[in-house]
């Protein structure tokens, strides 16, 4: 089974405990015979560099590049935590990802190009590797019927269809919070290739195997 | 004045006359002191390769790559028509574009990454080069209030605001025809960096100077 | 057993059926334990680009480059038909080919450098990989004692020595048609490394295994 | 006049004001006809990544790489502050630096290889570019006869010979503090090529021109 | 006026005097407004490495690669003798040569690919740069009507047509000695692009300007 | 067991016999299940190029580069002697080494960057690959209590601690001869990562297995 796991760069903003959980989760999947790719966001460091560059008047494309390079630095941290199983270079484009993937190792990527979110990168990676599953690990348990940070009674949706997912993402009340989840480009790729997607909480990485099997709380995009 | 010109790959589907018009237009702009970047689409050859690959079961990401590589082949045709003024390598990413641009030559690009249209590439190039103007050369004279191929009474809009442009692009009646014009990612970049855009007809390349000066029929996106 | 297979780019000028035959033939060889390299020509698309560039006054070196880049595009089509067994990057020089080959996957190449035919590329690849056999798949069944397209009574030569092959290739009556078969550089490499060569018809790819074993019509260059 | 300026990565740990001072100082030098190279350290961000990697058990070579990559990120911040005068790629080896330098633009580098300090990188850059002067900008005014952070009566040395500099650097009392200033490899390169060196305070970047001319407080290594 | 100068690697087998003559000749041409490219052979060092590799059983393609890499080392020696006027990287393919050439500096190359002589590389470089003249500097004064090393009465031919040059090169008595001069691939490129060629003695580099103007002994291939 | 073997470039100055011994020793180790990396020096050829470049006034950084490139040429000779077991590209930086190493093949490197000895390169490679052992093969049997070339009664030290090794290396009487053994940067890396080191004679390559097991004369740096 082939899996692409997209993780928010926020997990690098704290101590090393979550990095260790990520490593353990990946090693566990590999030991079970899964093929695994990981796509990492930029997190707080990216935001700091972008902020500094904005103050000196850099254009938006330059800001995106700083975010991408930081996400690659984060990706190398993950690579260095997996010296026995990871492909030792962070691919910088989809071409490089495809080549890296063909060696049978765990491939860890950050961003590819300005204008693309890391969710879009993960979607492309899932498409190019003909992955069985794309997992989006974020700071909530999955997709809700309304924004759980505003509405305490928001209900988690366990299984969702693409049309309903689009409605939720377009719903203005949750737009701000979900923008990061799946931007239009990620959504387009997921839709055109009918990629199965699980949205999960990165605080539950130690239950990743169960989440993949549908035994733990998360949201599954079905086709 | 810095200009990024995006041209449909369709101009490579015919004889060499339009290629010569493009060359002459670029040389003319350079001789007037303009700095020029050109972004080229894939055209019919791209569609042929994509069609062949689809028949053998390639995934969508691979299909996009074939389209990108063909657009780079088209870009080299343009480079080879401009041996005295062009940067002699087609950049394959925004990083490479930025470096290429800094030498002061005409830079010609095709696609960068799967999931991005060449309109998005051109928008990124305009943003990264702090261009004064992004020109989209397509097979109609500009943006119309309805689809000119369906409605013979469709009226060309000479000046448009971003909100109105979005409405036109979202209008389901014209969506099919205008998808190619500006996809959501291109639109996002244009909006975040408030890039001035002219939509023009690639059959009027010989009037490009006048179009830039607003003396010829086209549509201007104003801010 | 290590085999380098050189195929005319003409097979890409048609529908996808021959591409599928090529894929099946390669998969079949791999399943039997052969190590396989494939070198692809440019075909009709290359000729179209070269023609366009010639009209805008490009020099011969640029024309050769366009042909090479197109042959690489064709090579990627073959790579994408073999996602499980192929090395996922088309090598662009012999150095890259050698490295690619060492991973144990099927390596697919187009051209390397201007002034070299793809037959020469295939000969270099056979030499560098210490291949047991170089197969040239073209549009006739092998080497004839006279040009089969002119002389209906031309006889296919089943086994040939290098001295006789040279005579046939130098024979002015067949020169035009055989130039593509083996240019002087390919011949020089084949001779200096005493490479076994089979010339076969690309319309018989489904019989490739038998041809290798000498059970099917073709021409063998013996040493 | 050719100058290589090495600046501690500490200037990136704060707000953007010092980055702006650096930009203004470089622009000022360029406007006076100087050729300028800048070498940047990793600063606090590098230390954070190294700390995270150390906790997950990475070896020292990996830690050095994380520091180098962060210094390159810092270098890009400087490049993006100088879009009109800087070479737009951060060189990753001395070969790349030499090529970048030959274009006549301001070249900004971070680290090159593990085991080398950025002071050593700056020394190599000064040597390879036949620079007239290597400037080390640190958090004190220059070289002192004893550690100014320990001994309030420490005296700044305005001009120093290599033998005396070595003695100061070898003096165990100041070793901890001066290690960062010039490691043995930097010293070896400076000595073998007799490079003129000025040690200055990065809080006085706005007086850089005067420091170069010897009109402001700093330490000069004379030959 | 654009010139490509091909020099035998033999000049590196001796002391540095001939390297200095080459440098002075190139600087002189540049000062007169010529654009200059230089292609260097491998010489004695190449032969030594090839001999070592042959003894350990390397194939011919590997031997060619060792020769090419040595010729690039020789090329860097020339680059380092011209730090003010040379492009600081030795191009490793025709694509790289074309890009290097476009910067307006002196470009120095060694070999490109196995199976090509450096004379063929120089011919390709002349073709791709639309050079006015290709100069082949060897150890005799030009092309003779018979082998001057065998026949003391051999006469130097001052002007020659391509048909006559081919006859001389094909003449079996001089073949051994002239193989190095122009191999079939070099000849093919020279002929297809009608390149003007001067064959001269590398012992007369100090008279290079006069030789270009036809005032000194050498052989000119006219069209 | 993972081993990095550093060998003086002197072994390339002679006939091919020592190259064959090196090949046999590596093949033997691989057959016993060792993972092996080899780092090669420049030898006499490097010195010749450096001498030529010095005469034309090249700076020290350029001289170092010529030495590095020659060591890579030597490294390729070793690669070509091991076509079945070696990674077919010589890595040019530690990043490349790390990636090359991850494929499980024998990796052969020359130098990385100016200012670093090949002993430092080997130390970095040992550190980055978490090697169990770094072997330095030189022209004496190990580390002596005084210079064996001066003092015939010098005694070989079979086991040594880092403090004692430093004293020996700092001892001015043996400094000249031992500088090549371990420069300060190599020593720093060995010390910070507590790398086990064996110093042995390259005339005893055929006993390499026994030396690793401590059954043959050599010096072991213990921790």
């Amino acid at each position: 089974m082939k899996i692409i796991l997209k993780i928010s760069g926020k997990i690098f903003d704290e101590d090393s405990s979550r990095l260790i959980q990520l490593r353990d989760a990946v090693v566990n999947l590999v030991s079970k015979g899964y093929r695994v790719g990981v796509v990492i966001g930029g997190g707080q460091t990216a935001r700091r560099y972008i902020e500094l560059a904005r103050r000196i008047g850099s254009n938006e494309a330059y800001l995106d590049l700083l975010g991408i390079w930081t996400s690659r630095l984060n990706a190398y941290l993950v690579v260095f935590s997996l010296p026995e199983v990871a492909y030792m270079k962070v691919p910088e484009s989809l071409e490089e990802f495809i080549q890296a993937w063909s060696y049978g190792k765990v491939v860890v990527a950050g961003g590819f190009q300005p204008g693309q979110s890391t969710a879009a990168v993960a979607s492309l990676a899932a498409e190019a590797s003909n992955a069985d599953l794309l997992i989006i690990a974020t700071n909530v348990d999955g997709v809700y019927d309304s924004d759980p940070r505003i509405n305490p009674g928001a209900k988690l949706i366990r299984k969702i269809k693409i049309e309903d997912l689009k409605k939720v993402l377009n719903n203005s009340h949750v737009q701000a919070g979900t923008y990061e989840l799946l931007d239009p480009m990620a959504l387009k790729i997921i839709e055109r290739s009918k990629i199965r997607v699980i949205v999960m909480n990165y605080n539950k990485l130690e239950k990743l195997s169960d989440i993949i099997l549908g035994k733990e709380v998360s949201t599954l995009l079905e086709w």
Side-chain angles (χ1 to χ4, degrees), chain A residues 158-185:
Chain A
R158 290 296 301 261
K159 293 189 180 182
I160 197 165
K161 294 284 181 190
I162 186 74
E163 295 74 23
D164 297 318
L165 177 60
K166 281 177 169 176
K167 276 182 208 147
V168 171
L169 293 175
N170 277 327
N171 183 326
S172 61
H173 291 294
V174 296
Q175 197 170 20
T178 50
Y179 171 79
E180 188 191 41
L181 195 62
L182 288 173
D183 65 328
M185 182 175 153

Side-chain angles (χ1 to χ4, degrees), chain A residues 174-210:
Chain A
V174 296
Q175 197 170 20
T178 50
Y179 171 79
E180 188 191 41
L181 195 62
L182 288 173
D183 65 328
M185 182 175 153
L187 211 58
K188 184 186 79 173
I189 294 161
I190 288 166
E191 193 169 11
R192 76 180 183 184
S193 291
K194 296 192 168 29
I195 299 170
R196 282 179 74 230
V197 180
I198 286 178
V199 179
M200 65 170 279
N201 196 322
Y202 59 59
N203 291 310
K204 296 183 175 168
L205 280 171
E206 76 281 5
K207 296 180 182 165
L208 183 54
S209 290
D210 284 347

Side-chain angles (χ1 to χ4, degrees), chain A residues 93-131:
Chain A
S93 66
L94 192 68
E95 287 99 317
E96 282 188 30
F97 176 87
I98 289 169
Q99 200 187 354
W101 182 260
S102 73
Y103 295 111
K105 300 271 189 102
V106 173
V107 181
V108 188
F112 286 163
Q113 279 288 290
Q116 297 178 327
S117 68
T118 43
V121 167
S123 305
L124 280 170
E127 191 177 63
S129 58
N130 301 315

Side-chain angles (χ1 to χ4, degrees), chain A residues 63-138:
Chain A
L63 303 186
D64 272 13
L65 284 172
L66 288 168
I68 288 167
W69 294 327
T70 308
S71 70
R72 288 178 190 159
L73 209 48
N74 290 340
Y76 268 111
L77 259 190
V78 179
V79 166
F80 287 166
S81 76
L82 295 161
E84 302 302 317
V85 297
Y87 184 79
M88 296 306 286
K89 186 174 186 306
V90 169
E92 305 191 353
S93 66
L94 192 68
E95 287 99 317
E96 282 188 30
F97 176 87
I98 289 169
Q99 200 187 354
W101 182 260
S102 73
Y103 295 111
K105 300 271 189 102
V106 173
V107 181
V108 188
F112 286 163
Q113 279 288 290
Q116 297 178 327
S117 68
T118 43
V121 167
S123 305
L124 280 170
E127 191 177 63
S129 58
N130 301 315
D132 303 285
L133 188 56
L134 167 64
I135 301 173
I136 310 278
T138 183

